[in-house]
Amino acid sequence: MENSIEVENLTKVYNGKVKAVDNVNLKIGKGMIYGLLGQNGAGKSTLIKMLTGVIKPTSGTAKIAGYDLNHDSLKIRRITGVVPQDLTTDGDLSGKENLKLVADLYDIPKKDALESIDLLLHMVDLYDVRDRHAETYSGGMRKRLELACGLMNKPDVLFLDEPTLGLDVTTRSNLWKYIRSIQKEFQITIILTSHYLDEVDELANELSIIDHGKILVSGTSPELKKSLKGDIITVHLKNDSEFEKLKSFKDAIDIKKIETGDIRIKVSNSDEVLPELMGFLSKNQISPDSINIRKPSLDEVFIEYTGRNINAEQEKPDYAKLMMGRR
Ligand SMILES: Nc1ncnc2c1ncn2[C@@H]1O[C@H](COP(=O)(O)OP(=O)(O)O)[C@@H](O)[C@H]1O
Ligand SMILES: [Mg+2]
């Protein structure tokens, strides 16, 4: 498959101190939605800013649609669209005026621009509100306007940095529909960053997990889940003697008791092992209160590679205590 993006040893060190992106290598195939999954501060925005020419890499390079980041930056700007993490549209202007402004930035001839603007407004379902100030839009509408702005120059590659950050669940899944249809209708490559597992799982054809500026693992979501080599069967037993008997079940990779008191059985493939397990339980007169099967989720993939839960509270000083301590 032809690559749309090839990143080579890309590194960004801020102020000679903070290594925000650390020797990243990536190959992204043409026409796919590629997810970059990572917590806050992982280096996602820094990577996007380098790839869109907003900041210069400290070292390394990348090719976007064959153009070299360090030499063809103007050309790259023409063929890429970007929807940055923070809003770029102007609340004091209407939706339509915002799009006109972007068209001017790209020197798009007026007639062509007006036609594109109408098409884009229809596409993101903002045509009826095109003359309203953008500040009166809901969060989801405003993001849709940003999406339209990112498409104004008919890019080959579209970068979406945390496109649904801070939106509620319904609005987020509504935006996913637009992102999916953009990729399909325009047949462009989309690079999407997110710290929402469900978003990356839902949208991305392939993904990388990024942590502390490094790519830890890449692949399709099913591949990554499969790489964990195993499903989890959890059983709730009546007593410890049942647990002792269960320990001799041969088809498990691992059997252990977890904090809740449940027994966690790791198996290679629950579809195959479950019938064996049922037979074993009945033969040994073990009758669990419940049996639960879990296929590996992207959640567990993230924990496996980073050692942390993506939704874990990030360390933050106890501001309330510091505040009250000053009384
Ligand atoms: N302009 C900057 N100057 C110094 N440090 C920065 C700057 N921008 C980001 N950083 C730091 O670089 C790291 C990565 O940040 P960022 O790329 O914004 O991550 P993400 O988008 O994944 O949340 C963080 O430690 C952040 O504090
Ligand atoms: Mg960011």
Side-chain angles (χ1 to χ4, degrees):
M1 191 207 288
E2 204 182 329
N3 286 325
S4 191
I5 297 184
E6 292 183 1
V7 180
E8 255 180 57
N9 306 324
L10 205 59
T11 295
K12 179 70 189 182
V13 183
Y14 285 114
N15 314 320
K17 289 201 290 271
V18 184
K19 206 177 234 184
V21 168
D22 190 356
N23 201 38
V24 161
N25 288 281
L26 271 180
K27 282 188 169 48
I28 299 177
K30 203 171 169 178
M32 68 161 69
I33 300 185
Y34 198 94
L36 286 168
L37 178 67
Q39 282 178 317
N40 251 333
K44 304 180 296 296
S45 293
T46 302
L47 183 55
I48 298 296
K49 283 177 190 164
M50 286 194 282
L51 294 178
T52 52
V54 176
I55 56 174
K56 281 203 176 305
T58 305
S59 59
T61 187
K63 277 201 172 118
I64 298 175
Y67 295 107
D68 190 306
L69 195 63
N70 293 318
H71 299 107
D72 310 313
S73 57
L74 279 179
K75 188 74 196 172
I76 289 176
R77 211 167 279 197
R78 295 240 157 238
I79 57 153
T80 56
V82 55
V83 179
Q85 186 174 323
D86 300 317
L87 292 179
T88 56
T89 49
D90 187 338
D92 291 335
L93 298 178
S94 71
K96 188 166 181 171
E97 286 165 340
N98 268 293
L99 283 162
K100 276 186 186 160
L101 203 65
V102 178
D104 285 345
L105 286 177
Y106 285 110
D107 288 326
I108 300 170
K110 197 154 185 203
K111 185 167 166 289
D112 194 13
L114 288 176
E115 282 170 13
S116 294
I117 288 170
D118 277 0
L119 292 175
L120 287 170
L121 283 166
H122 278 298
M123 205 194 78
V124 296
D125 293 318
L126 291 175
Y127 190 78
D128 293 343
V129 296
R130 65 191 179 283
D131 294 323
R132 262 171 53 186
H133 280 185
E135 67 190 0
T136 68
Y137 289 2
S138 68
M141 289 159 81
R142 191 79 181 259
K143 268 293 171 187
R144 268 145 54 201
L145 177 61
E146 301 266 333
L147 277 181
C149 288
L151 291 167
M152 193 65 224
N153 64 332
K154 304 171 195 158
D156 295 328
V157 181
L158 179 66
F159 293 92
L160 305 177
D161 195 4
E162 305 242 21
T164 68
L165 183 71
L167 299 175
D168 63 75
V169 180
T170 321
T171 312
R172 288 180 51 226
S173 62
N174 179 269
L175 260 169
W176 297 346
K177 282 191 298 195
Y178 290 90
I179 294 172
R180 229 182 264 119
S181 82
I182 286 169
Q183 192 262 344
K184 209 165 140 224
E185 311 288 324
F186 289 69
Q187 306 219 319
I188 59 180
T189 310
I190 296 180
I191 290 86
L192 164 137
T193 81
S194 184
H195 68 280
Y196 296 119
L197 289 158
D198 57 347
E199 181 156 298
V200 173
D201 212 1
E202 182 69 31
L203 290 177
N205 306 112
E206 279 183 35
L207 70 121
S208 282
I209 291 179
I210 178 168
D211 199 36
H212 298 300
K214 285 193 170 78
I215 302 287
L216 299 184
V217 65
S218 307
T220 67
S221 177
E223 275 167 10
L224 296 184
K225 289 171 188 168
K226 224 173 140 194
S227 77
L228 294 189
K229 295 196 175 60
D231 302 341
I232 304 295
I233 303 176
T234 314
V235 296
H236 188 85
L237 300 178
K238 293 200 174 52
N239 52 50
D240 275 349
S241 72
E242 285 192 335
F243 177 38
E244 288 307 315
K245 284 193 260 177
L246 183 60
K247 278 182 181 168
S248 59
F249 178 59
K250 290 282 178 296
D251 291 326
I253 296 170
D254 183 42
I255 302 181
K256 65 166 169 260
K257 199 174 189 173
I258 54 175
E259 317 92 82
T260 56
D262 286 341
I263 311 303
R264 186 177 182 275
I265 308 170
K266 189 168 176 183
V267 300
S268 57
N269 182 339
S270 58
D271 299 337
E272 287 162 16
V273 176
L274 194 61
E276 305 294 329
L277 178 65
M278 298 313 276
F280 180 90
L281 292 174
S282 113
K283 202 171 114 205
N284 290 281
Q285 287 158 0
I286 305 173
S287 45
D289 297 328
S290 69
I291 298 182
N292 210 305
I293 300 157
R294 242 173 347 135
K295 296 273 178 187
S297 62
L298 205 48
D299 233 316
E300 277 157 49
V301 173
F302 192 88
I303 294 169
E304 176 84 12
Y305 288 97
T306 66
R308 294 188 315 278
N309 189 311
I310 196 162
N311 296 316
E313 278 288 313
Q314 294 193 5
E315 276 181 47
K316 191 174 145 185
D318 189 342
Y319 289 115
K321 198 170 162 194
L322 289 171
M323 173 73 198
M324 297 317 269
R326 292 168 53 243
R327 269 199 294 198

